Amino acid sequence: MLLDMDLGVLPPSLIPSSQSVYVLVFYFVYLAVAGEILPGKVIRGVLLSDGSQLRYRCNGLLALTLLVAILGICAKLGIVSPLVVADRGLELLSATFIFCVLVTLALYVTGRNSSYKSSSLKPHVSGNLVHDWWFGIQLNPQFMSIDLKFFFVRAGMMGWLLINLSILAKSVQDGSLSQSMILYQIFCALYILDYFVHEEYMTSTWDIIAERLGFMLGWWLLHNKVELTVPAIVANCLVFVIGYMVFRGANKQKHIFKKNPKTPIWGKPPVVVGGKLLASGYWGIARHCNYLGDLMLALSFSLPCGISSPVPYFYPIYLLILLIWRERRDEVRCAEKYKEIWAEYLRLVPWRILPYVY
């Protein structure tokens, strides 16, 4: 898309307009209010190092459904255009980037000045400003009782769907709707909806329990029409289905194991190393089998774009680098935490992500 644009138009389009700021403010305010007032299952997070547990209200599916309904009604009444994201994508991108920088700087300042001793709010300061700003200082910072990490993960997932729906509306209006666009939209929508159906599983993931808080494929299809052959469509669907089974199955097994370590896996009693580490099911195939599923899903989102350009594959390549880096850090953390138990686990499960390869 950028290659087809007049370069003289690019800088103004990156300057956030008042409308893009209003859209962003409305979105975050809605998520904050809906997350607090809408009914939902309250889930206890994992035990932190000080024995405390955070609580999460998992009402994301209801909040997303209500938001889409509100936006649909507003679009029908002419209050807001369904093309607002497709038409003002760069403005919204730059506005979001500025917002993220300001929020992370605020988190850095408040984190350094925090006197809390609890595991979730205790400051972890290395002394390197860039390191502390990038990785974050507090594990679960809060604002007005809102867990910001859980909030922003939810905002990202919902925002992904809203971006896609706006681009879909644009392609329908322009008469450029293709099989590739339909395939991409279906895969992403299923992935996002599944996330919110199983939102409670998020509370036991690495992102929530260990990481501190410190657009692109749809745009490509909107401006580059790609027609896939039937075998290519079938192969793409297989990558998505297998990726989903591995990703969801692995995360579900881990979540259930943490709630009840004696629950059978694939019809058999679980193999547990040192009473702490699961070595059954997907977790007996590779130590981070869920990452394999995530990578296959990311690849399935890019495959509808064809292979004429590497640009649409930025996301799976980025995710591959991110997950390998995260896996390496997780291995170091687990080796320090579990010591000889971890060594035994490595013997039973020698593969990191992809069996017989890595």
Side-chain angles (χ1 to χ4, degrees), residues 221-241:
L221 289 172
L222 188 59
H223 294 269
N224 298 270
K225 191 170 183 178
V226 178
E227 293 298 340
L228 299 176
T229 63
V230 173
I233 293 175
V234 172
N236 200 167
C237 290
L238 284 175
V239 172
F240 175 82
V241 171

Side-chain angles (χ1 to χ4, degrees), residues 134-152:
W134 181 262
F135 287 101
I137 292 178
Q138 294 174 304
L139 181 62
N140 297 99
Q142 298 182 353
F143 177 73
M144 297 178 64
S145 76
I146 297 173
D147 185 290
L148 293 179
K149 190 192 297 183
F150 194 69
F151 174 84
F152 284 125

Side-chain angles (χ1 to χ4, degrees), residues 190-201:
L190 288 175
Y191 178 76
I192 294 165
L193 292 175
D194 175 80
Y195 169 88
F196 286 110
V197 169
H198 302 96
E199 191 176 26
E200 67 175 275
Y201 296 164

Side-chain angles (χ1 to χ4, degrees), residues 333-347:
R333 171 177 166 270
C334 288
E336 293 175 351
K337 181 178 180 180
Y338 297 112
K339 297 181 172 58
E340 64 278 357
I341 296 177
W342 183 250
E344 175 64 15
Y345 180 60
L346 295 184
R347 188 186 67 79

Side-chain angles (χ1 to χ4, degrees), residues 116-136:
Y116 288 98
K117 301 299 182 182
S118 64
S119 296
S120 60
L121 295 176
K122 180 181 179 180
H124 298 267
V125 182
S126 70
N128 184 312
L129 187 151
V130 176
H131 178 278
D132 292 339
W133 170 72
W134 181 262
F135 287 101

Side-chain angles (χ1 to χ4, degrees), residues 321-338:
I321 296 171
L322 173 69
L323 292 181
I324 289 178
W325 182 38
R326 177 179 290 180
E327 171 264 320
R328 293 281 176 166
R329 289 186 290 125
D330 189 24
E331 296 262 330
V332 172
R333 171 177 166 270
C334 288
E336 293 175 351
K337 181 178 180 180
Y338 297 112

Side-chain angles (χ1 to χ4, degrees), residues 81-138:
S81 170
L83 310 182
V84 63
V85 177
D87 290 340
R88 297 180 176 272
L90 290 178
E91 289 183 17
L92 287 166
L93 182 63
S94 59
T96 304
F97 176 77
I98 293 171
F99 173 80
C100 290
V101 171
L102 293 176
V103 168
T104 51
L105 285 175
L107 289 173
Y108 171 79
V109 173
T110 57
R112 281 193 63 97
N113 296 326
S114 173
S115 59
Y116 288 98
K117 301 299 182 182
S118 64
S119 296
S120 60
L121 295 176
K122 180 181 179 180
H124 298 267
V125 182
S126 70
N128 184 312
L129 187 151
V130 176
H131 178 278
D132 292 339
W133 170 72
W134 181 262
F135 287 101
I137 292 178
Q138 294 174 304

